[in-house]
Amino acid sequence: MATFSNIVLVITATLTALMAGLFYAWSCSVMPGFARLPNREFVAAMQATNRAIQNPIFFAAFFGAPILLPISAFLHNGQSTRFWLLLAATVIYLLGTFGVTIFGNVPLNNVLDRFDLETASDEETAWQRANFERRWNNLNTVRTVSSTFAVILTIIACLN
């Protein structure tokens, strides 16, 4: 039924799924491809990509999902199963996806963004990559898994 709360729920599920797909794509294609690059090219590619992703289309989904998940839970408060599924999706997403991004990946991205490739030696560039790549990938795995669980719970809520 096309009620306001169900329309919000579908938009919530869509935005959450878009974010899970983005993190999944980074895990299984972008980062394995970047891993094959030499250090200087890796850092340049990450800097360029992290700058390019900061755009209105990305921000709509990135901020939309953590805003709409709790709103969807609230709108379905009278429907016990749906409410608890959405509440669980909200907590998982806020902690494992949004929180990890804000407090983990973004600070790493900011450090990498300030790194000056033009004046850096090969050793400094290698150190910068080594200090970034594994940590960033580990954090991205956490947000990929958590956003995927949030999507699953949200889809189950849509079906209830």
Side-chain angles (χ1 to χ4, degrees):
M1 181 181 309
T3 64
F4 175 74
S5 60
N6 285 342
I7 291 168
V8 171
L9 180 57
V10 168
I11 294 168
T12 301
T14 302
L15 294 178
T16 306
L18 287 170
M19 292 310 302
L22 174 79
F23 299 134
Y24 171 77
W26 273 86
S27 290
C28 70
S29 63
V30 176
M31 291 309 286
F34 284 5
R36 297 177 180 173
L37 296 173
N39 293 333
R40 193 166 294 279
E41 286 79 8
F42 172 87
V43 172
M46 284 301 297
Q47 286 176 331
T49 307
N50 285 329
R51 290 172 187 152
I53 202 167
Q54 296 180 43
N55 64 71
I57 295 170
F58 168 76
F59 286 139
F62 180 70
F63 290 110
I67 291 169
L68 290 180
L69 277 164
I71 290 172
S72 288
F74 174 79
L75 291 173
H76 292 93
N77 194 11
Q79 302 167 3
S80 183
T81 302
R82 189 175 274 186
F83 168 76
W84 288 110
L85 288 165
L86 292 169
L87 184 62
T90 299
V91 170
I92 290 168
Y93 191 90
L94 288 176
L95 295 176
T97 305
F98 194 74
V100 167
T101 301
I102 296 298
F103 297 109
N105 294 89
V106 169
L108 289 172
N109 293 347
N110 290 341
V111 168
L112 192 69
D113 190 56
R114 291 188 297 271
F115 183 71
D116 186 2
L117 266 176
E118 299 296 321
T119 61
S121 68
D122 289 342
E123 293 79 21
E124 291 169 326
T125 305
W127 182 89
Q128 188 67 35
R129 178 181 185 166
N131 195 42
F132 175 87
E133 188 174 15
R134 180 181 290 141
R135 292 169 56 202
W136 194 96
N137 284 334
N138 289 341
L139 291 168
N140 191 60
T141 298
V142 170
R143 60 190 188 167
T144 301
V145 170
S146 64
S147 61
T148 300
F149 279 129
V151 169
I152 291 167
L153 293 170
T154 306
I155 290 171
I156 294 170
C158 288
L159 298 174
N160 273 300

